[in-house]
Amino acid sequence: MHNNGISSLYELKDIKHKYGSHFCLDIPHLKIRRGSFTGLTGPNGSGKSTLMRILSFLEKPDSGSIYYKGILQYKGDTQAGNNTAMLIQEPYLLKRTVFENVAYGLKVRGIRENLNDTVCESLELVGLEPDKFGSRKWFELSGGEVKRVALASRLILKPEVLVLDEPLSNIDPMSISIIKEAIVNVSRRHGITLIISSHDPVWLNLICGDILRMYDGTIVGDGTENILTGPWFEDIDGLWSKELAGGEKIFAVKPPDKNSIAVLNPSEIIISLKRQKDISAQNMLKGRITNMVSLEKRDALKIDVEVQDMTFRCSLTQHAAGELNLIPGKKVWLIFKASSLQWQ
């Protein structure tokens, strides 16, 4: 796709946005490529939804600069043109029929040519039969159907950017499957840039080339990294530790302060079938494999291991995983050095 020499669709610089006296979004620098699929992960309250509203131009940050296709947005009180659409976690419909809800965006843009066919096509994309659902009122729909109608009303606009905040939450399994397929197919077919948050890590890792992990209002790493939060306490041999719910400890070198955030790269973790002796690594944790995902175009696996109240993401070649006969449900030991934890 021709992009007039602009490599990034978005570029954010020194973005700060505050809610009350407690939460502040702080994004020093972020680029999002045109046509890319970007995933956002992180706990509730980490800032994902706020960042997505800013990327959708539904909310103006308190300070900082947003460039969209190389053009600075929000010059004074004027916002430069953009073509984005956002689907929030709990979408609401107009108090009209399904057909009128889906057609609304085109009508306000003055686009009425082949309107009936276009609306029917969008409904079919989300698995809703136009003859059956087109005349239904907003209150005659299930939660999954409401979300599918809301998605159809965004897809019909063929936006440059589709921003989806937990599109799979609180809906039935059939709707989940249909929405997943519709999002990916339409976005790829029309070259749409996709920005999406989801609690389905398998799906997110399969479709997204870039995954950003958020914590406490800032981006702390990519979605493959392990994020360990404080508090940390001084322990033996000059090390510091964080205690898990079951009493196990994670050891680290001295942090900048006791509430510092540490990042542990998956490649720094050794997976073993038994507890090792006479090794220098200070951390040896017993856990259970909960998930294994193959990485496209790489001979590698992402392996999730649950250790008490935490899930660790590990990286291993498919050959090594085969040699260890690793499968979901298998109990393993995770081994890594205290110095492998990098302070943010």
Side-chain angles (χ1 to χ4, degrees), residues 60-216:
K60 181 181 177 181
D62 294 334
S63 61
S65 303
I66 302 177
Y67 292 86
Y68 182 80
K69 294 196 291 189
I71 299 171
L72 178 64
Q73 305 293 300
Y74 303 117
K75 295 181 179 179
D77 292 327
T78 304
Q79 180 183 318
N82 57 72
N83 182 13
T84 65
M86 181 177 182
L87 181 65
I88 61 176
Q89 288 190 43
E90 301 294 337
Y92 56 87
L93 301 180
L94 300 172
K95 294 182 179 181
R96 305 180 185 186
T97 65
V98 167
F99 184 95
E100 291 167 332
N101 266 279
V102 178
Y104 179 79
L106 291 183
K107 285 184 175 181
V108 298
R109 288 164 174 77
I111 303 172
R112 296 178 180 271
E113 186 176 355
N114 300 320
L115 184 63
N116 186 73
D117 290 344
T118 306
V119 171
C120 289
E121 179 186 351
S122 294
L123 286 172
E124 289 168 351
L125 282 172
V126 296
L128 298 175
E129 300 173 36
D131 291 341
K132 182 178 178 181
F133 285 91
S135 60
R136 285 195 185 179
K137 299 291 180 62
W138 75 98
F139 58 82
E140 298 176 319
L141 304 172
S142 69
E145 289 165 352
V146 166
K147 192 158 281 192
R148 286 152 69 182
V149 171
L151 178 60
S153 71
R154 275 69 170 176
L155 295 178
I156 199 172
L157 301 175
K158 302 295 188 296
E160 289 181 309
V161 183
L162 185 58
V163 181
L164 304 171
D165 191 1
E166 298 292 350
L168 310 179
S169 64
N170 304 320
I171 56 175
D172 57 278
M174 184 178 73
S175 291
I176 287 175
S177 177
I178 291 169
I179 286 175
K180 282 181 176 180
E181 186 175 354
I183 289 169
V184 174
N185 288 346
V186 174
S187 297
R188 286 178 175 162
R189 185 188 312 165
H190 296 285
I192 295 172
T193 301
L194 184 64
I195 302 168
I196 182 169
S197 70
S198 174
H199 285 306
D200 185 339
V202 177
W203 181 56
L204 208 60
N205 278 282
L206 284 174
I207 68 167
C208 293
D210 302 303
I211 298 180
L212 307 175
R213 186 176 295 233
M214 297 193 67
Y215 181 80
D216 198 24

Side-chain angles (χ1 to χ4, degrees), residues 210-324:
D210 302 303
I211 298 180
L212 307 175
R213 186 176 295 233
M214 297 193 67
Y215 181 80
D216 198 24
T218 192
I219 296 170
V220 294
D222 65 43
T224 64
E225 294 174 317
N226 299 287
I227 308 300
L228 292 91
T229 61
W232 301 87
F233 297 96
E234 194 169 359
D235 213 303
I236 59 171
D237 300 328
L239 297 175
W240 288 60
S241 67
K242 166 189 173 71
E243 187 169 320
L244 303 182
E248 288 272 17
K249 289 182 177 180
I250 298 173
F251 292 97
V253 297
K254 184 178 180 179
D257 64 70
K258 74 172 188 175
N259 293 313
S260 293
I261 299 170
V263 174
L264 175 62
N265 193 297
S267 62
E268 295 286 335
I269 302 174
I270 298 171
I271 297 181
S272 174
L273 299 182
K274 60 182 180 180
R275 186 180 181 92
Q276 299 294 316
K277 298 179 180 179
D278 302 322
I279 60 173
S280 60
Q282 295 87 353
N283 291 293
M284 197 173 305
L285 305 172
K286 189 175 184 179
R288 180 179 62 88
I289 296 175
T290 57
N291 188 46
M292 299 174 67
V293 178
S294 230
L295 293 176
E296 292 184 12
K297 301 179 182 178
R298 287 175 57 191
D299 176 32
L301 291 170
K302 292 180 182 177
I303 301 174
D304 290 339
V305 179
E306 188 178 76
V307 178
Q308 296 178 9
D309 60 336
M310 284 193 64
T311 297
F312 287 82
R313 171 63 54 82
C314 310
S315 178
L316 205 63
T317 66
Q318 295 194 29
H319 175 75
E323 289 285 310
L324 293 170

